[in-house]
Amino acid sequence: MAAVVFSDEAWARIEPLLPSSEGLRGGRFRDHRLVLEAIAWRFRTGSPWRDLPERFGPWQTVWKRHDRFSADGTYVRLLQAVQADADAAGGLDWVVSADSTIARAHQHSAGARPRRPVRSGGARSNYKDLRLEPVDHAIGRSRGGLTSKVHLACDGRGRPLAMLLSSGNTNDTQLLGPLLAQIRVPRQGPGRPRTRPTRLLADKGYSSRTNRRMLSGRGIAVTIPEREDQKHHRTARGSAGGRPYSFDNSAYRDRNVVERCFAQLKQWRGIASRFDKLATNYLGGVVLASLALWLRT
């Protein structure tokens, strides 16, 4: 079968990182490459799992492998390994852009039973861990109906660095900190993983004192335009309102890379619309599509 997503060169980069079936009950894993191509085919077309072509083998095997890799962090480890290669070669641009996009929740994604919180803090705290299933399955009701929201941070070349999933009616501002906390690029050698961008580009939806203080405290240059209501509130307070925030309009022009990244991810129909009942499985597809973007560069 001709490769669709994973070329021979791309597969050679990630094959050593995939889990082995040694010591597991139930026999050996079915060919990883064939199964990952099947998973990619499903998300690229948006087809039901049961409609996978026969050449990929039993659809149950493909779904179970995707469910496993989404929950145990395999997809995330593959993505981080490819990012580490780019960083070691000096090809990772640490001027990071952040934004979010809405994905309509198809009727096939509804119907999963609500889950109890696995930790204190309610459902929202579960959005911060990619391996935990949120209580509401990251599906919320907004003007467009049932929706999910994908939060994304990408490098200066428009390649995904980190992503989070939340319900569609969640405010972007609240998840900027958790989103940046997902950036973790290992070093090929001694040293801690790199987690801090040099600059963050984001739109007015992320403008808040909390976010600006958090970014400044981490030594990250901030390029976020101030909302008009915030300007009026600061001006009304006079000298107590403080100085206007600095804004580099020239640097802000590069924020469009995150929009282009979303456009590429949403070429996969299973990401443009959400068909998965579980948030972890839908987000696993987003990470897999992000990995495909990195392997093409």
Side-chain angles (χ1 to χ4, degrees):
M1 183 191 67
V4 176
V5 175
F6 304 103
S7 63
D8 292 339
E9 181 182 358
W11 186 251
R13 297 173 65 184
I14 66 174
E15 183 180 18
L17 304 173
L18 289 167
S20 171
S21 58
E22 294 183 5
L24 295 179
R25 298 176 61 184
R28 296 183 178 180
F29 278 137
R30 189 178 179 87
D31 179 34
H32 277 314
R33 187 174 186 177
L34 180 64
V35 173
L36 286 181
E37 288 286 358
I39 296 170
W41 183 92
R42 186 266 176 177
F43 276 97
R44 285 168 65 91
T45 63
S47 302
W49 291 102
R50 295 175 182 270
D51 290 348
L52 283 172
E54 293 183 359
R55 66 178 184 270
F56 291 125
W59 70 267
Q60 297 93 331
T61 299
V62 177
W63 181 86
K64 289 179 181 178
R65 191 76 55 84
H66 175 63
D67 182 65
R68 180 191 186 100
F69 286 177
S70 298
D72 66 8
T74 297
Y75 289 141
V76 175
R77 288 192 293 272
L78 294 176
L79 180 60
Q80 290 178 344
V82 174
Q83 292 170 350
D85 291 341
D87 191 39
L92 202 159
D93 189 340
W94 282 94
V95 176
V96 173
S97 299
D99 205 349
S100 68
T101 188
I102 290 290
R104 286 291 301 271
H106 191 268
Q107 59 184 358
H108 291 170
S109 67
R113 294 182 178 180
R115 295 193 171 187
R116 295 181 179 179
V118 296
R119 58 175 66 176
S120 60
R124 183 157 297 162
S125 62
N126 295 345
Y127 295 147
K128 302 176 184 179
D129 193 328
L130 304 188
R131 296 169 296 179
L132 294 179
E133 180 67 20
V135 176
D136 58 1
H137 303 290
I139 296 179
R141 187 173 296 278
S142 57
R143 290 184 178 181
L146 295 179
T147 56
S148 293
K149 182 178 286 188
V150 179
H151 304 262
L152 180 69
C154 68
D155 78 335
R157 297 177 60 184
R159 297 170 298 183
L161 285 176
M163 59 285 301
L164 283 178
L165 186 67
S166 72
S167 59
N169 54 357
T170 301
N171 194 299
D172 292 348
T173 304
Q174 300 172 352
L175 289 183
L176 179 61
L179 175 63
L180 296 181
Q182 296 295 330
I183 299 177
R184 186 179 179 86
V185 179
R187 300 182 188 272
Q188 294 184 344
R192 298 177 180 178
R194 182 165 183 179
T195 61
R196 184 170 60 87
T198 57
R199 178 179 294 272
L200 179 77
L201 311 179
D203 60 23
K204 295 180 180 180
Y206 295 91
S207 178
S208 70
R209 288 188 177 183
T210 300
N211 285 339
R212 293 180 187 276
R213 289 172 180 172
M214 179 269 296
L215 294 169
S216 299
R218 294 184 58 188
I220 302 173
V222 183
T223 303
I224 302 176
E226 192 177 10
R227 298 201 313 264
E228 291 300 321
D229 63 321
Q230 294 175 340
K231 291 180 181 179
H232 294 322
H233 179 69
R234 176 173 46 78
T235 304
R237 297 183 62 190
S239 59
R243 297 179 179 178
Y245 295 112
S246 61
F247 178 71
D248 188 341
N249 190 58
S250 177
Y252 186 71
R253 295 173 184 173
D254 295 331
R255 194 193 68 84
N256 66 85
V257 296
V258 69
E259 306 290 354
R260 301 205 303 266
C261 184
F262 277 131
Q264 294 184 73
L265 291 176
K266 285 194 169 184
Q267 290 180 14
W268 292 36
R269 295 174 64 86
I271 293 174
S273 296
R274 174 176 169 176
F275 299 97
D276 298 271
K277 292 183 183 297
L278 298 183
T280 50
N281 287 347
Y282 174 69
L283 187 58
V286 177
V287 179
L288 181 63
S290 301
L291 174 64
L293 291 182
W294 277 92
L295 292 174
R296 292 205 321 244
T297 60

mmCIF file of all heavy atoms in Angstrom, residues 101-140:
data_model
loop_
_atom_site.group_PDB
_atom_site.id
_atom_site.type_symbol
_atom_site.label_atom_id
_atom_site.label_comp_id
_atom_site.label_asym_id
_atom_site.label_seq_id
_atom_site.Cartn_x
_atom_site.Cartn_y
_atom_site.Cartn_z
ATOM 1 N N THR A 101 -9.749 27.762 17.690
ATOM 2 C CA THR A 101 -10.720 27.605 16.618
ATOM 3 C C THR A 101 -11.846 26.695 17.087
ATOM 4 O O THR A 101 -11.639 25.833 17.952
ATOM 5 C CB THR A 101 -10.061 27.027 15.347
ATOM 6 O OG1 THR A 101 -11.001 27.057 14.268
ATOM 7 C CG2 THR A 101 -9.620 25.584 15.566
ATOM 8 N N ILE A 102 -13.013 26.912 16.520
ATOM 9 C CA ILE A 102 -14.191 26.139 16.891
ATOM 10 C C ILE A 102 -14.365 24.968 15.927
ATOM 11 O O ILE A 102 -14.159 25.089 14.730
ATOM 12 C CB ILE A 102 -15.455 27.031 16.856
ATOM 13 C CG1 ILE A 102 -15.418 28.047 17.995
ATOM 14 C CG2 ILE A 102 -16.724 26.188 16.935
ATOM 15 C CD1 ILE A 102 -15.612 27.457 19.366
ATOM 16 N N ALA A 103 -14.745 23.818 16.482
ATOM 17 C CA ALA A 103 -15.104 22.652 15.678
ATOM 18 C C ALA A 103 -16.523 22.244 16.052
ATOM 19 O O ALA A 103 -16.818 22.014 17.237
ATOM 20 C CB ALA A 103 -14.132 21.495 15.919
ATOM 21 N N ARG A 104 -17.395 22.199 15.070
ATOM 22 C CA ARG A 104 -18.760 21.768 15.335
ATOM 23 C C ARG A 104 -18.760 20.304 15.759
ATOM 24 O O ARG A 104 -18.077 19.467 15.178
ATOM 25 C CB ARG A 104 -19.623 21.933 14.080
ATOM 26 C CG ARG A 104 -19.985 23.357 13.758
ATOM 27 C CD ARG A 104 -20.944 23.960 14.769
ATOM 28 N NE ARG A 104 -22.177 23.192 14.850
ATOM 29 C CZ ARG A 104 -23.244 23.402 14.104
ATOM 30 N NH1 ARG A 104 -23.225 24.352 13.189
ATOM 31 N NH2 ARG A 104 -24.328 22.674 14.269
ATOM 32 N N ALA A 105 -19.542 20.008 16.786
ATOM 33 C CA ALA A 105 -19.669 18.639 17.269
ATOM 34 C C ALA A 105 -20.787 17.945 16.510
ATOM 35 O O ALA A 105 -21.960 18.329 16.614
ATOM 36 C CB ALA A 105 -19.937 18.626 18.773
ATOM 37 N N HIS A 106 -20.438 16.955 15.722
ATOM 38 C CA HIS A 106 -21.417 16.189 14.959
ATOM 39 C C HIS A 106 -22.295 15.384 15.912
ATOM 40 O O HIS A 106 -21.924 15.126 17.067
ATOM 41 C CB HIS A 106 -20.684 15.258 13.992
ATOM 42 C CG HIS A 106 -21.547 14.600 12.970
ATOM 43 N ND1 HIS A 106 -22.114 13.365 13.171
ATOM 44 C CD2 HIS A 106 -21.949 15.004 11.735
ATOM 45 C CE1 HIS A 106 -22.820 13.029 12.088
ATOM 46 N NE2 HIS A 106 -22.735 14.011 11.217
ATOM 47 N N GLN A 107 -23.460 14.967 15.447
ATOM 48 C CA GLN A 107 -24.356 14.194 16.308
ATOM 49 C C GLN A 107 -23.721 12.878 16.761
ATOM 50 O O GLN A 107 -24.073 12.344 17.811
ATOM 51 C CB GLN A 107 -25.661 13.899 15.566
ATOM 52 C CG GLN A 107 -25.498 13.115 14.269
ATOM 53 C CD GLN A 107 -26.809 12.944 13.531
ATOM 54 O OE1 GLN A 107 -27.847 13.388 14.006
ATOM 55 N NE2 GLN A 107 -26.778 12.313 12.369
ATOM 56 N N HIS A 108 -22.753 12.357 15.988
ATOM 57 C CA HIS A 108 -22.079 11.125 16.392
ATOM 58 C C HIS A 108 -21.209 11.324 17.627
ATOM 59 O O HIS A 108 -20.864 10.357 18.308
ATOM 60 C CB HIS A 108 -21.215 10.593 15.244
ATOM 61 C CG HIS A 108 -22.010 10.084 14.086
ATOM 62 N ND1 HIS A 108 -21.440 9.746 12.877
ATOM 63 C CD2 HIS A 108 -23.347 9.868 13.938
ATOM 64 C CE1 HIS A 108 -22.379 9.337 12.040
ATOM 65 N NE2 HIS A 108 -23.555 9.411 12.667
ATOM 66 N N SER A 109 -20.819 12.577 17.907
ATOM 67 C CA SER A 109 -19.955 12.833 19.060
ATOM 68 C C SER A 109 -20.749 12.992 20.352
ATOM 69 O O SER A 109 -20.155 13.039 21.438
ATOM 70 C CB SER A 109 -19.133 14.098 18.820
ATOM 71 O OG SER A 109 -19.977 15.245 18.783
ATOM 72 N N ALA A 110 -22.055 13.100 20.248
ATOM 73 C CA ALA A 110 -22.884 13.284 21.439
ATOM 74 C C ALA A 110 -23.314 11.935 21.995
ATOM 75 O O ALA A 110 -23.230 10.899 21.338
ATOM 76 C CB ALA A 110 -24.113 14.124 21.097
ATOM 77 N N GLY A 111 -23.738 11.937 23.241
ATOM 78 C CA GLY A 111 -24.297 10.731 23.845
ATOM 79 C C GLY A 111 -23.417 10.039 24.847
ATOM 80 O O GLY A 111 -23.873 9.116 25.533
ATOM 81 N N ALA A 112 -22.142 10.448 24.957
ATOM 82 C CA ALA A 112 -21.275 9.825 25.957
ATOM 83 C C ALA A 112 -21.707 10.250 27.353
ATOM 84 O O ALA A 112 -22.085 11.398 27.574
ATOM 85 C CB ALA A 112 -19.819 10.209 25.713
ATOM 86 N N ARG A 113 -21.666 9.337 28.290
ATOM 87 C CA ARG A 113 -22.088 9.639 29.654
ATOM 88 C C ARG A 113 -21.134 10.631 30.313
ATOM 89 O O ARG A 113 -19.913 10.528 30.157
ATOM 90 C CB ARG A 113 -22.138 8.361 30.485
ATOM 91 C CG ARG A 113 -23.202 7.359 30.034
ATOM 92 C CD ARG A 113 -23.205 6.154 30.947
ATOM 93 N NE ARG A 113 -24.243 5.199 30.552
ATOM 94 C CZ ARG A 113 -24.466 4.041 31.177
ATOM 95 N NH1 ARG A 113 -23.705 3.705 32.222
ATOM 96 N NH2 ARG A 113 -25.425 3.237 30.753
ATOM 97 N N PRO A 114 -21.663 11.594 31.060
ATOM 98 C CA PRO A 114 -20.781 12.513 31.790
ATOM 99 C C PRO A 114 -19.912 11.738 32.778
ATOM 100 O O PRO A 114 -20.344 10.741 33.352
ATOM 101 C CB PRO A 114 -21.754 13.445 32.519
ATOM 102 C CG PRO A 114 -23.033 13.334 31.755
ATOM 103 C CD PRO A 114 -23.079 11.929 31.236
ATOM 104 N N ARG A 115 -18.692 12.196 32.955
ATOM 105 C CA ARG A 115 -17.773 11.530 33.862
ATOM 106 C C ARG A 115 -17.573 12.354 35.120
ATOM 107 O O ARG A 115 -17.621 13.585 35.085
ATOM 108 C CB ARG A 115 -16.427 11.293 33.173
ATOM 109 C CG ARG A 115 -16.531 10.320 32.009
ATOM 110 C CD ARG A 115 -15.169 9.868 31.563
ATOM 111 N NE ARG A 115 -15.280 8.788 30.591
ATOM 112 C CZ ARG A 115 -14.246 8.112 30.120
ATOM 113 N NH1 ARG A 115 -13.029 8.405 30.518
ATOM 114 N NH2 ARG A 115 -14.429 7.141 29.239
ATOM 115 N N ARG A 116 -17.314 11.674 36.204
ATOM 116 C CA ARG A 116 -17.055 12.374 37.455
ATOM 117 C C ARG A 116 -15.669 13.006 37.421
ATOM 118 O O ARG A 116 -14.756 12.463 36.805
ATOM 119 C CB ARG A 116 -17.138 11.398 38.640
ATOM 120 C CG ARG A 116 -18.529 10.816 38.851
ATOM 121 C CD ARG A 116 -18.528 9.890 40.044
ATOM 122 N NE ARG A 116 -19.865 9.333 40.290
ATOM 123 C CZ ARG A 116 -20.129 8.476 41.265
ATOM 124 N NH1 ARG A 116 -19.168 8.066 42.065
ATOM 125 N NH2 ARG A 116 -21.357 8.039 41.414
ATOM 126 N N PRO A 117 -15.497 14.150 38.083
ATOM 127 C CA PRO A 117 -14.164 14.768 38.127
ATOM 128 C C PRO A 117 -13.142 13.824 38.743
ATOM 129 O O PRO A 117 -13.409 13.179 39.751
ATOM 130 C CB PRO A 117 -14.376 16.008 39.002
ATOM 131 C CG PRO A 117 -15.845 16.291 38.918
ATOM 132 C CD PRO A 117 -16.507 14.957 38.783
ATOM 133 N N VAL A 118 -11.963 13.735 38.126
ATOM 134 C CA VAL A 118 -10.919 12.863 38.650
ATOM 135 C C VAL A 118 -9.997 13.602 39.607
ATOM 136 O O VAL A 118 -9.116 13.011 40.202
ATOM 137 C CB VAL A 118 -10.091 12.263 37.503
ATOM 138 C CG1 VAL A 118 -10.943 11.366 36.642
ATOM 139 C CG2 VAL A 118 -9.474 13.366 36.651
ATOM 140 N N ARG A 119 -10.198 14.881 39.757
ATOM 141 C CA ARG A 119 -9.396 15.657 40.699
ATOM 142 C C ARG A 119 -10.225 16.864 41.119
ATOM 143 O O ARG A 119 -11.217 17.204 40.491
ATOM 144 C CB ARG A 119 -8.077 16.119 40.061
ATOM 145 C CG ARG A 119 -8.273 16.961 38.814
ATOM 146 C CD ARG A 119 -6.964 17.502 38.292
ATOM 147 N NE ARG A 119 -6.107 16.442 37.830
ATOM 148 C CZ ARG A 119 -4.934 16.644 37.254
ATOM 149 N NH1 ARG A 119 -4.497 17.882 37.109
ATOM 150 N NH2 ARG A 119 -4.194 15.651 36.843
ATOM 151 N N SER A 120 -9.809 17.518 42.190
ATOM 152 C CA SER A 120 -10.545 18.680 42.661
ATOM 153 C C SER A 120 -10.421 19.806 41.653
ATOM 154 O O SER A 120 -9.439 19.931 40.943
ATOM 155 C CB SER A 120 -9.975 19.129 44.015
ATOM 156 O OG SER A 120 -8.610 19.476 43.881
ATOM 157 N N GLY A 121 -11.430 20.628 41.599
ATOM 158 C CA GLY A 121 -11.403 21.762 40.687
ATOM 159 C C GLY A 121 -12.425 21.653 39.582
ATOM 160 O O GLY A 121 -12.582 22.577 38.802
ATOM 161 N N GLY A 122 -13.108 20.521 39.490
ATOM 162 C CA GLY A 122 -14.172 20.396 38.508
ATOM 163 C C GLY A 122 -13.672 20.049 37.130
ATOM 164 O O GLY A 122 -12.535 19.654 36.925
ATOM 165 N N ALA A 123 -14.560 20.203 36.167
ATOM 166 C CA ALA A 123 -14.267 19.753 34.806
ATOM 167 C C ALA A 123 -13.158 20.566 34.158
ATOM 168 O O ALA A 123 -12.354 20.029 33.410
ATOM 169 C CB ALA A 123 -15.535 19.842 33.957
ATOM 170 N N ARG A 124 -13.102 21.854 34.440
ATOM 171 C CA ARG A 124 -12.172 22.708 33.725
ATOM 172 C C ARG A 124 -10.722 22.315 33.995
ATOM 173 O O ARG A 124 -9.863 22.424 33.129
ATOM 174 C CB ARG A 124 -12.409 24.162 34.112
ATOM 175 C CG ARG A 124 -11.534 25.142 33.362
ATOM 176 C CD ARG A 124 -12.146 26.509 33.354
ATOM 177 N NE ARG A 124 -13.418 26.516 32.647
ATOM 178 C CZ ARG A 124 -14.309 27.468 32.777
ATOM 179 N NH1 ARG A 124 -14.093 28.473 33.602
ATOM 180 N NH2 ARG A 124 -15.438 27.414 32.096
ATOM 181 N N SER A 125 -10.418 21.833 35.220
ATOM 182 C CA SER A 125 -9.050 21.435 35.521
ATOM 183 C C SER A 125 -8.615 20.268 34.657
ATOM 184 O O SER A 125 -7.430 20.089 34.400
ATOM 185 C CB SER A 125 -8.921 21.063 37.000
ATOM 186 O OG SER A 125 -9.741 19.952 37.301
ATOM 187 N N ASN A 126 -9.552 19.464 34.180
ATOM 188 C CA ASN A 126 -9.199 18.313 33.359
ATOM 189 C C ASN A 126 -8.755 18.712 31.964
ATOM 190 O O ASN A 126 -8.160 17.904 31.256
ATOM 191 C CB ASN A 126 -10.383 17.342 33.258
ATOM 192 C CG ASN A 126 -10.734 16.728 34.597
ATOM 193 O OD1 ASN A 126 -9.950 16.807 35.533
ATOM 194 N ND2 ASN A 126 -11.890 16.122 34.688
ATOM 195 N N TYR A 127 -9.061 19.928 31.530
ATOM 196 C CA TYR A 127 -8.624 20.361 30.215
ATOM 197 C C TYR A 127 -7.100 20.481 30.154
ATOM 198 O O TYR A 127 -6.518 20.468 29.076
ATOM 199 C CB TYR A 127 -9.215 21.729 29.851
ATOM 200 C CG TYR A 127 -10.714 21.748 29.702
ATOM 201 C CD1 TYR A 127 -11.448 22.870 30.039
ATOM 202 C CD2 TYR A 127 -11.408 20.650 29.205
ATOM 203 C CE1 TYR A 127 -12.824 22.914 29.887
ATOM 204 C CE2 TYR A 127 -12.780 20.682 29.047
ATOM 205 C CZ TYR A 127 -13.477 21.817 29.395
ATOM 206 O OH TYR A 127 -14.833 21.854 29.237
ATOM 207 N N LYS A 128 -6.451 20.596 31.281
ATOM 208 C CA LYS A 128 -5.023 20.880 31.312
ATOM 209 C C LYS A 128 -4.164 19.636 31.105
ATOM 210 O O LYS A 128 -2.967 19.753 30.875
ATOM 211 C CB LYS A 128 -4.660 21.538 32.654
ATOM 212 C CG LYS A 128 -5.430 22.821 32.933
ATOM 213 C CD LYS A 128 -5.099 23.373 34.294
ATOM 214 C CE LYS A 128 -5.943 24.616 34.610
ATOM 215 N NZ LYS A 128 -5.650 25.171 35.943
ATOM 216 N N ASP A 129 -4.728 18.450 31.209
ATOM 217 C CA ASP A 129 -3.984 17.214 31.047
ATOM 218 C C ASP A 129 -4.525 16.480 29.828
ATOM 219 O O ASP A 129 -5.694 16.083 29.802
ATOM 220 C CB ASP A 129 -4.121 16.337 32.301
ATOM 221 C CG ASP A 129 -3.115 15.193 32.314
ATOM 222 O OD1 ASP A 129 -2.759 14.702 31.226
ATOM 223 O OD2 ASP A 129 -2.695 14.778 33.406
ATOM 224 N N LEU A 130 -3.679 16.297 28.818
ATOM 225 C CA LEU A 130 -4.139 15.701 27.562
ATOM 226 C C LEU A 130 -4.587 14.262 27.750
ATOM 227 O O LEU A 130 -5.327 13.729 26.919
ATOM 228 C CB LEU A 130 -3.020 15.747 26.516
ATOM 229 C CG LEU A 130 -2.417 17.118 26.193
ATOM 230 C CD1 LEU A 130 -1.466 16.999 25.017
ATOM 231 C CD2 LEU A 130 -3.487 18.149 25.911
ATOM 232 N N ARG A 131 -4.152 13.604 28.829
ATOM 233 C CA ARG A 131 -4.477 12.194 29.014
ATOM 234 C C ARG A 131 -5.737 11.981 29.846
ATOM 235 O O ARG A 131 -6.166 10.844 30.023
ATOM 236 C CB ARG A 131 -3.292 11.474 29.679
ATOM 237 C CG ARG A 131 -2.038 11.458 28.816
ATOM 238 C CD ARG A 131 -0.841 10.983 29.608
ATOM 239 N NE ARG A 131 -0.545 11.905 30.692
ATOM 240 C CZ ARG A 131 0.448 11.731 31.559
ATOM 241 N NH1 ARG A 131 1.209 10.674 31.471
ATOM 242 N NH2 ARG A 131 0.663 12.610 32.512
ATOM 243 N N LEU A 132 -6.318 13.071 30.354
ATOM 244 C CA LEU A 132 -7.513 12.962 31.178
ATOM 245 C C LEU A 132 -8.745 13.347 30.369
ATOM 246 O O LEU A 132 -8.726 14.310 29.606
ATOM 247 C CB LEU A 132 -7.409 13.863 32.408
ATOM 248 C CG LEU A 132 -6.324 13.492 33.434
ATOM 249 C CD1 LEU A 132 -6.343 14.490 34.578
ATOM 250 C CD2 LEU A 132 -6.508 12.085 33.956
ATOM 251 N N GLU A 133 -9.798 12.595 30.540
ATOM 252 C CA GLU A 133 -11.056 12.891 29.854
ATOM 253 C C GLU A 133 -11.844 13.910 30.673
ATOM 254 O O GLU A 133 -12.166 13.668 31.832
ATOM 255 C CB GLU A 133 -11.871 11.615 29.686
ATOM 256 C CG GLU A 133 -13.195 11.809 28.980
ATOM 257 C CD GLU A 133 -13.026 12.200 27.531
ATOM 258 O OE1 GLU A 133 -11.934 11.969 26.962
ATOM 259 O OE2 GLU A 133 -13.985 12.731 26.944
ATOM 260 N N PRO A 134 -12.157 15.079 30.098
ATOM 261 C CA PRO A 134 -12.941 16.079 30.838
ATOM 262 C C PRO A 134 -14.324 15.546 31.202
ATOM 263 O O PRO A 134 -14.874 14.669 30.521
ATOM 264 C CB PRO A 134 -13.041 17.247 29.848
ATOM 265 C CG PRO A 134 -11.934 17.031 28.882
ATOM 266 C CD PRO A 134 -11.746 15.562 28.784
ATOM 267 N N VAL A 135 -14.877 16.085 32.254
ATOM 268 C CA VAL A 135 -16.192 15.646 32.714
ATOM 269 C C VAL A 135 -17.247 15.845 31.625
ATOM 270 O O VAL A 135 -18.110 14.998 31.410
ATOM 271 C CB VAL A 135 -16.580 16.396 34.003
ATOM 272 C CG1 VAL A 135 -17.980 16.015 34.442
ATOM 273 C CG2 VAL A 135 -15.580 16.105 35.108
ATOM 274 N N ASP A 136 -17.168 16.981 30.916
ATOM 275 C CA ASP A 136 -18.162 17.277 29.885
ATOM 276 C C ASP A 136 -17.722 16.832 28.494
ATOM 277 O O ASP A 136 -18.355 17.178 27.497
ATOM 278 C CB ASP A 136 -18.477 18.777 29.863
ATOM 279 C CG ASP A 136 -17.234 19.629 29.611
ATOM 280 O OD1 ASP A 136 -16.140 19.044 29.439
ATOM 281 O OD2 ASP A 136 -17.356 20.862 29.566
ATOM 282 N N HIS A 137 -16.622 16.066 28.423
ATOM 283 C CA HIS A 137 -16.068 15.588 27.151
ATOM 284 C C HIS A 137 -15.701 16.737 26.219
ATOM 285 O O HIS A 137 -15.612 16.551 25.005
ATOM 286 C CB HIS A 137 -17.036 14.628 26.451
ATOM 287 C CG HIS A 137 -17.407 13.437 27.277
ATOM 288 N ND1 HIS A 137 -16.517 12.432 27.569
ATOM 289 C CD2 HIS A 137 -18.572 13.113 27.899
ATOM 290 C CE1 HIS A 137 -17.113 11.517 28.319
ATOM 291 N NE2 HIS A 137 -18.348 11.909 28.546
ATOM 292 N N ALA A 138 -15.471 17.928 26.796
ATOM 293 C CA ALA A 138 -15.071 19.118 26.021
ATOM 294 C C ALA A 138 -16.071 19.458 24.932
ATOM 295 O O ALA A 138 -15.710 19.876 23.832
ATOM 296 C CB ALA A 138 -13.667 18.938 25.433
ATOM 297 N N ILE A 139 -17.350 19.299 25.233
ATOM 298 C CA ILE A 139 -18.418 19.703 24.323
ATOM 299 C C ILE A 139 -19.308 20.687 25.071
ATOM 300 O O ILE A 139 -19.811 20.383 26.156
ATOM 301 C CB ILE A 139 -19.250 18.506 23.845
ATOM 302 C CG1 ILE A 139 -18.377 17.550 23.015
ATOM 303 C CG2 ILE A 139 -20.447 18.971 23.019
ATOM 304 C CD1 ILE A 139 -19.122 16.328 22.526
ATOM 305 N N GLY A 140 -19.470 21.874 24.512
ATOM 306 C CA GLY A 140 -20.294 22.892 25.148
ATOM 307 C C GLY A 140 -21.280 23.483 24.159
ATOM 308 O O GLY A 140 -21.117 23.369 22.943
#
